[in-house]
Structures are given as C-alpha cells and as structure tokens.
Amino acid sequence: MDQTQRRILGQPLPIPTTQPKKKRASMVSFFSKISWTVSLQKQEPPKNVFFILAERAQDPNAKKRHMAMRGLGAMASETPDKVKKYKKIVLDLLVHGLYDPVSADVIHESMKTLTIILGKIQGKSLGSFFIDITLQARTLLDDENDNLRYSAFVLFGQLADFAGRKWKTFFTSQVKQTQDSLLTHLQDRNPQVAKACKTTFRACSPYLKERKENSFQSEADQRNPKLCRQLSHYHPELLQFLYANRIL
C-alpha cells in the first residue's frame, strides 16, 4: 500500500452535501407545516381556527390552499364535532379543492380530507355534494399521478357505501361508466393503487348487477361477458365473489 492509499484510507469519507441538504430542507418544510397547524390550534379556539383555515382554503397561493386542506383534515380527526357543525361550509371548500385548476397537491389533500370527513359523518346529508364528489373522483381514477389515483379509488369506494336509495340510480350509472377503469387498474403499475382498486371493486360490485328485466333471458345472457372474461383470467377470486353474492 503506497503513501497515497494510506492517506486516503486514513481520512474520513467525504460526506455528500447536495442530496442531504435537499432532504433536510424538505423535512424542515414538512415539520414546519405540521407545527404551523398545531401551533395555530393551540393559540386559537377551534372556531377561530376553522374560519382561518376556511379563509386560507380560498387563498390565491396554492401552498396556502394545500395547507388549509390539510388543516381541515386535522380538525376533522381531532375535533369532529366542530367540523360537523360547519359541515356544509367544509364540504363546499373541499369540493372546490377537489376541482382545483392548478395544484395536484390541493386536489390530493382535498380527497384525503373528504375521506376522513365522510367517515365521520357516515355520508349523511351530503346533498348535491355527492354528485360533485363522485364525478371528480371518477375522473381521477385514471389520473397519471399515483397519489391521486390511489386517493380517488379510496374515495370512490367509500361513496359506494354512502350512495343509499337517494343516489343509487346515479351512482349505478357512474359505476357502469367506471367499469373499464376498475378492470384496468386491478393491474395498476403501483401495487398500492391496485390494492385500493380491488377493495373499491368489491364495494362497487353490487352496482354492477344487471337488472333482470326479461325473465325469459337465460342466466348466461344476463352476465357481463367482458367482465367475466377479464376477471376469470386475472382475478378469479373476484369473479367467485361476484358469483357467490349473485351479482353475476
């Protein structure tokens, strides 16, 4: 071993600075955003926090809108009674966030927060918001962004549980139009999206049931051949589930 090698081996390894700085900056940014929400909740009564978030949810700055949606999600988790009290205002803000024309982050955070809130209120008294949420969630099922697709499938599956009698006809039509997306994303490149799609497929399966308008039709004629063919090839367990529940 020559002197140069000894000198190199005797020195500590150089520490790369570029990437860690980026990671460090992103972590600092992440924790500062969380601490902003926490400190805001500590400093202000819940009612004031809500109206501050509501104002920032409509801010021209996309980052502020994003953080406002996240803050509403935190409030929904920690103080659900307050969110229920202002449910219509919250839903209006989140639906606007769902259709944000600029920021995918705002859309993503809006979907995540909607999922929390719908769980808290059990989908009750959504009114026409149900239509707005369903239409946009269905659109986002095929988005190129993995996070948006994942959250859209989770949200769409949740809506299947809350359609009820009032929205059954409407939601059935939406599921029928979504059938190709459901089949496609069972094989999604992202395993988490594929898993969410599979869960949503099960939740939506009752809406795929064909009406037996003509009693003289054979059982085979009433089945959806494309659906049966694809499921039998890729997901036979889902096909068995549909048969067992007399959906097909």
Side-chain angles (χ1 to χ4, degrees):
M1 184 181 295
D2 60 26
Q3 290 183 351
T4 304
Q5 288 175 317
R6 287 195 187 95
R7 189 166 61 251
I8 292 172
L9 290 174
Q11 292 175 349
L13 289 172
I15 300 173
T17 56
T18 307
Q19 187 63 23
K21 280 184 179 178
K22 288 182 180 178
K23 288 184 178 179
R24 199 178 304 119
S26 63
M27 289 298 288
V28 169
S29 174
F30 173 74
F31 284 114
S32 66
K33 288 174 182 177
I34 293 178
S35 62
W36 173 80
T37 304
V38 173
S39 62
L40 185 63
Q41 289 177 331
K42 286 182 178 179
Q43 293 171 11
E44 299 283 350
K47 182 179 178 180
N48 292 359
V49 173
F50 171 76
F51 285 111
I52 291 170
L53 291 173
E55 183 179 351
R56 295 194 180 185
Q58 303 170 78
D59 196 279
N61 186 302
K63 289 184 178 179
K64 289 184 179 180
R65 294 199 303 277
H66 177 212
M67 287 312 303
M69 297 305 173
R70 180 175 293 180
L72 289 171
M75 282 197 74
S77 298
E78 296 170 17
T79 56
D81 291 340
K82 280 293 176 186
V83 173
K84 287 178 183 178
K85 183 177 179 180
Y86 301 108
K87 180 175 65 177
K88 289 187 177 180
I89 298 174
V90 174
L91 288 173
D92 187 58
L93 292 170
L94 292 173
V95 168
H96 275 84
L98 204 59
Y99 286 84
D100 194 281
V102 177
S103 173
D105 289 335
V106 173
I107 295 171
H108 183 221
E109 206 66 50
S110 298
M111 278 196 288
K112 287 166 60 180
T113 301
L114 273 169
T115 301
I116 295 170
I117 289 176
L118 291 182
K120 297 292 184 184
I121 66 175
Q122 289 297 296
K124 294 178 180 178
S125 304
L126 284 177
S128 61
F129 288 125
F130 185 90
I131 295 176
D132 298 325
I133 296 168
T134 301
L135 291 174
Q136 184 65 341
R138 185 171 73 83
T139 300
L140 294 169
L141 295 177
D142 295 315
D143 197 273
E144 293 182 359
N145 185 307
D146 288 9
N147 290 330
L148 291 183
R149 283 201 316 283
Y150 173 81
S151 293
F153 274 110
V154 173
L155 182 58
F156 198 79
Q158 194 179 37
L159 291 167
D161 293 330
F162 300 142
R165 291 183 180 180
K166 183 175 182 179
W167 301 113
K168 184 177 180 180
T169 302
F170 165 75
F171 196 74
T172 298
S173 70
Q174 295 302 301
V175 172
K176 295 287 176 66
Q177 294 178 61
T178 308
Q179 181 176 303
D180 287 343
S181 294
L182 289 170
L183 290 172
T184 299
H185 293 291
L186 284 171
Q187 310 297 322
D188 196 279
R189 64 176 182 266
N190 185 309
Q192 292 301 314
V193 176
K195 186 177 179 180
C197 178
K198 190 172 182 178
T199 301
T200 297
F201 189 98
R202 284 178 176 267
C204 292
S205 57
Y207 299 94
L208 292 169
K209 191 171 185 177
E210 298 290 340
R211 286 185 179 180
K212 298 183 180 180
E213 295 175 350
N214 299 318
S215 57
F216 57 82
Q217 279 186 306
S218 68
E219 188 176 343
D221 289 336
Q222 291 166 1
R223 290 175 179 171
N224 186 323
K226 180 182 178 182
L227 181 64
C228 293
R229 186 168 57 252
Q230 288 197 239
L231 288 181
S232 64
H233 185 70
Y234 294 109
H235 292 276
E237 77 284 359
L238 281 179
L239 188 60
Q240 285 298 112
F241 171 80
L242 297 179
Y243 284 157
N245 289 275
R246 297 184 177 182
I247 294 166
L248 288 178

